[in-house]
Amino acid sequence: MLHKYYSLILVLLLAVFITACQEEEYSLPTAESGLQNDCIKRTLGPNMVGMNIEFAYAMALLPSEGKIVSAQVEATIAGATGTYLENKSYYTNSSGQDVGIAIGDASVTTGTKTVVTFTKDTCAATLRYYYRIPEEARGKSVDFIFSAKASNGQTVSYEMGSYNIAKMDMKLDLLAKDGAACYISITDMAVYDAAGAAANAAKIDLVYLHRLISGITFSHALVSPANTEYLPGITLPSGVSNSSKEIKAWNLRDQQLARLQYGIFIDDVDFQQIDFTNAPNYAINMKAESGLWVETTDGKYRAYIFVNKVDDTKKEMTLSIKRLQVK
Amino acid sequence: MKKYFIIPTVIIISILSWVGCTDFPIDEDGLLITTRAQCYVSNFELLGVDYQTVRTASAVIDTTAQTINVNVFYGTDLKNLWPQFSLVTDAKLDPKITSFTDFSDLANPKQWTVISGNRKVRKTYTVFVTVQQKP
């Protein structure tokens, strides 16, 4: 009885080995008939007002079946000025550079639709679409329908989305300088000098300073105006007295703020979830590529400040801000 | 023929059961209770909210006096610090550290108890934090 089972198992194993060793011959894929299309989203991370969402839309049909006459993108919310569909199809050359070849006229945007009319006799193209996110899309979601038309009358379309548009704002590369433009407003996402700070006293949330004090590590600091202990040698402009809450962060190099290789993105939800209970109102010894979560005195705004660069000699800090209104 | 399979199977199961029954017991945290009676802190770290150290130098651990003295940078936010203890093998800490700890009341230093691997020796360590002073 046992021998019977062993024989059966051996036969099965043999069959498995034979199947595993059998080579599959490669054959060139056959192009499908008719107009085909495909699309990918090229941008990553949260979609923010004023920024682009980029797509690559590919369309093709067999040369014998005709040529492409037009490509169109329709968004559910009209894009802001700067929205366009490329009239060039790109290929990558031997040096790794993308080289564009014009296939038609510059795109025409009318309302929610952006159209490129082909002028070249081509049966395949990949066009890039840049959707500049408008203010009216803030906090909403947007969908896209990509479509192409061929000379033989065939049409094809491809739906992309929905994509949520973040509520937060972003400001890049603000320069703060000790003793000059050193008053930072989260409300305005701007840096003011003393005169500007006096004129916008209620909006000043942080003061930037750089100090070298022997025996302690102070260096670059972002301190609430209310905490004068950490503002040595600073005479605040009249009325500047906010006490914002601050939480230091390290290794949180948001890709959109830092523009470095790290795939980290801060989104609306991060601002909503962070807990500022017991947070101090100062942050000293800030280094390049460090960060700072901030909540304004009135709790209206929460922000993440990324320190792009510090300069000990010039006593400067380059910072970028993402900010969300939470109240 | 069957007995060649049944007998070894019974023997293997018996061995496994016996080995399983003679293993170390586990405590309420699911940790092994071993025979080790050593009970001390071998290293101590203190992290800020950015998970970077706030120590100006290595913590001084006195295993006889059961104290840990640590000096932190000027400007350290004492309300939000995460202590990390390295303990002797098999020992555990009570209470457990699950979040940031408030060290701001310097007059009442925080205490943690180290419990030995055999769970019979308990030593309470006091953590004294001092802040680097501005000259």
Side-chain angles (χ1 to χ4, degrees), chain B residues 41-109:
Chain B
V41 175
S42 57
N43 195 26
F44 182 77
E45 180 60 278
L46 206 50
L47 303 177
V49 284
D50 53 358
Y51 300 97
Q52 300 298 296
T53 188
V54 294
R55 291 180 293 101
T56 57
S58 295
V60 178
I61 303 165
D62 187 330
T63 53
T64 309
Q66 292 165 211
T67 59
I68 297 170
N69 285 280
V70 60
N71 183 253
V72 299
F73 289 115
Y74 171 78
T76 297
D77 171 22
L78 297 177
K79 285 188 174 177
N80 296 292
L81 293 176
W82 196 300
Q84 289 183 337
F85 290 80
S86 297
L87 308 177
V88 65
T89 309
D90 295 344
K92 68 173 189 175
L93 199 67
D94 183 49
K96 295 178 189 70
I97 298 163
T98 55
S99 63
F100 287 99
T101 305
D102 186 352
F103 282 86
S104 60
D105 187 359
L106 297 176
N108 293 296

Side-chain angles (χ1 to χ4, degrees), chain A residues 6 14 24 51 65 80 84 94 97 107 121 142 160 170-171 187 197 222 233 273 284 287 296 310:
Chain A
Y6 283 133
L14 210 60
E24 282 181 26
M51 293 180 71
E65 294 181 5
Y84 69 102
S94 55
Q97 303 294 315
S107 65
D121 183 358
V142 61
M160 294 293 281
M170 185 169 76
K171 196 92 175 187
T187 308
L222 294 167
Q273 289 180 351
I284 66 169
K287 295 171 182 151
T296 55
V310 290

Side-chain angles (χ1 to χ4, degrees), chain A residues 244-269:
Chain A
S244 50
K245 291 180 175 177
E246 302 175 41
I247 299 172
K248 285 173 82 170
W250 183 251
N251 274 342
L252 187 52
R253 290 166 283 208
D254 177 275
Q255 208 275 333
Q256 290 164 318
L257 296 176
R259 287 148 285 161
L260 296 171
Q261 70 272 34
Y262 310 103
I264 300 170
F265 296 94
I266 291 170
D267 209 338
D268 288 355
V269 68

Side-chain angles (χ1 to χ4, degrees), chain A residues 184 187 200-207 223-227 236 239-245 281 296-298:
Chain A
I184 299 163
T187 308
N200 297 281
K203 296 180 189 172
I204 303 302
D205 303 294
L206 300 167
V207 181
V223 181
S224 284
N227 194 332
L236 293 168
V240 174
S241 62
N242 279 342
S243 180
S244 50
K245 291 180 175 177
N281 61 357
T296 55
T297 309
D298 55 8

